Amino acid sequence: MDNDGLPGRRERLTRRSLLVGIGAAGGAGAMYAAMGVLGLAPSKETAPVRPTGGAELPAPYVPPQPSDFSLRGGSPAKVLVLGAGVAGLACAYELGKAGYDCTVVEARDRVGGRSLTLRGGDAVTELPAGTAAIGETQRVAFGAGTYFNAGPARIAQWMVTLDYCRELGVPLEVFVNNNASAYVLTAGMKAPVRARTARADAYGYISELLAKATDAGALDAELTGPDKERLLDFLSEFGEIGQARGYTGGERRGYRVNPGVGPGAPLGPPPSLTEILSQGLGRMLTMDAGYDQAMPMFQPVGGMDAIVRALAGQVGAGRIRTGTRVTRITNRPEGVEVAVEGGAPLKADYCVAALPPHLLAKIPGNLGADVRSALATPVPLSAGKLGLEYGRRWWEIEDRVYGGATETDLDVGHIWYPSYGFHTERGLVVGYYNTGGDAEAYNALSHRERLHRALVQGRKVHGGRYGRDLLSSISVAWRRQPHIEGSWVRWPSMSGLSLLQRPAGRVYFAGDWLTHLIAWQAGAFESARKVVTELHHRVLKEG
Ligand code: PHE
């Protein structure tokens, strides 16, 4: 089933593939020009910005500040933020910089939304599957120091998330997103091989074919004489084929016995070209070629939730109401009223709704039929992750794999090795990270069944050691997480997106689902900055 918005099962999960149908964000340039007029933007930036559909270099973000009011009069407004995920917390944090009176309302009993790090003592309750009356609750039994980023886990260098880590003092370490020593395994392979071996063979044979085609004159229409020489030169290095044209394997494939005092024993010659082609390794070998997946990537030391905890700390616990479900959102000419379960209605000048769109669409109120139908447009998707805590870091000790991922086309998708705690006693392996139909299949199971199925798959890569030394485990099916109900969304068509990038009366919308960075915390931050800038601009103008 095509549930991840991608062309087929176990297709490449890329940022672009998540964006099917998303239109231009627009607006930023015009908004910044308006800020310039208001004297909010630095003067060198006040030149008119052409509306080029969001493709222009975005204006630098200028956080609201108290002096904006002392210069222009007026005062910070009262704002209700619905949802304490990254988008909601970032809105409250940024508005708080200028003294806005923000209250964050969160249905779950913890902040962070999908930015969820699980540790010993935590509990994970899921919505019931199928006809079951109650959902399963898992208790996390990890030892001290073990954590599992059940949601976001990696940050690319160019993402605004890193700026927030800097600003909030969240310490970072490298997240190993690509490890030549990890494995690849596809249905076309008899046994797993190290990524370095698979890559050497793919590059080698491709180079051989291209060199032979060049020699045979098959590329004469495309290449000049000097081009051909340079291409052959390139291929001799790229595929390690030397001048011989034929790929026979080399050191890059790896060693059976590592060099040391002795020369070591290389792995030996590669499988045949036919065998390599039948392995279907294209996706496995280019996983980290995506703009958002290239090394080095980063993670907060001690768990991804360090970011949301720092944000919540800045906002202040007194301003965050967890365990509070929103039941109605009413726009009035002079303000917004938000009804919550088990309490008096909340009132404010403005509201930022930073909930998943599919849940927002179900909350009654008077947002209007067009807004409601736009909110119902994005399709919530499935992803799942399984954390396996081992009492012995066998992947380091026996496989010599320090972080990174094994890429498979098994239903577990990816197997991740921890990028923290090297050489400590325990370690947390991600036994599956899957999406689409694979995630749905696991979602439908109990935790025990998920665990069993994932261990069967993992043994195909690691053999018997995959089941040994296992201390505890926990799985999260994002589609079954209360008050979230999805890993991220897919827009089947562009319609509705631009409508929701604008406020509906006094209600603004924020979240990664409104950006070109769906499924990234960076999307939530970028969306929050846009909303905060526009709301602040409006408050300054309207008083
Ligand atoms: N951000 C998520 C991840 O890194 C989902 C995603 C994957 C988004 C690949 C874009 C590309 O796993």
Side-chain angles (χ1 to χ4, degrees), residues 30-221:
M31 173 189 80
Y32 197 71
M35 287 171 61
V37 172
L38 280 165
L40 288 174
S43 54
K44 66 173 166 36
E45 302 288 352
T46 48
V49 183
R50 286 178 307 280
T52 54
E56 75 274 19
L57 206 56
Y61 172 67
V62 182
Q65 42 191 318
S67 60
D68 297 343
F69 294 103
S70 42
L71 285 173
R72 307 192 41 84
S75 57
K78 191 169 171 185
V79 180
L80 278 171
V81 178
L82 314 183
V86 173
L89 290 173
C91 284
Y93 168 59
E94 291 291 348
L95 289 168
K97 288 178 180 174
Y100 279 77
D101 176 8
C102 295
T103 301
V104 185
V105 182
E106 167 59 49
R108 287 166 70 89
D109 58 9
R110 62 200 295 172
V111 301
R114 286 166 288 168
S115 186
L116 174 67
T117 301
L118 295 172
R119 300 181 182 81
D122 287 336
V124 177
T125 298
E126 294 192 332
L127 296 169
T131 53
I134 52 161
E136 186 178 350
T137 295
Q138 304 171 53
R139 310 243 165 238
V140 187
F142 298 159
T146 299
Y147 72 82
F148 169 38
N149 287 332
R154 48 187 167 194
I155 308 169
Q157 290 167 97
W158 52 272
M159 290 179 173
V160 70
T161 312
L162 285 192
D163 299 300
Y164 278 95
C165 289
R166 189 197 302 114
E167 184 172 319
L168 296 163
V170 172
L172 297 171
E173 63 193 1
V174 168
F175 175 91
V176 182
N177 202 36
N178 175 10
N179 185 340
S181 288
Y183 299 89
V184 291
L185 179 62
T186 64
M189 297 170 70
K190 292 192 204 81
V193 301
R194 304 262 186 185
R196 68 158 53 79
T197 312
R199 183 165 288 123
D201 292 348
Y203 288 11
Y205 278 122
I206 285 164
S207 298
E208 171 180 332
L209 292 173
L210 207 44
K212 285 180 172 165
T214 307
D215 285 341
L219 299 172
D220 283 359

Side-chain angles (χ1 to χ4, degrees), residues 12-18 151-155 159 177 287 292-293 297 385 414 416 433 435 488 517-521:
R12 172 189 289 280
L13 180 60
T14 63
R15 191 182 66 84
R16 251 190 297 160
S17 72
L18 295 173
R154 48 187 167 194
I155 308 169
M159 290 179 173
N177 202 36
M287 197 284 302
D292 41 13
Q293 296 289 342
M297 296 189 82
K385 271 191 187 175
H414 321 261
W416 285 4
Y433 170 23
T435 55
W488 51 76
L517 286 171
I518 285 181
W520 292 102
Q521 294 176 104

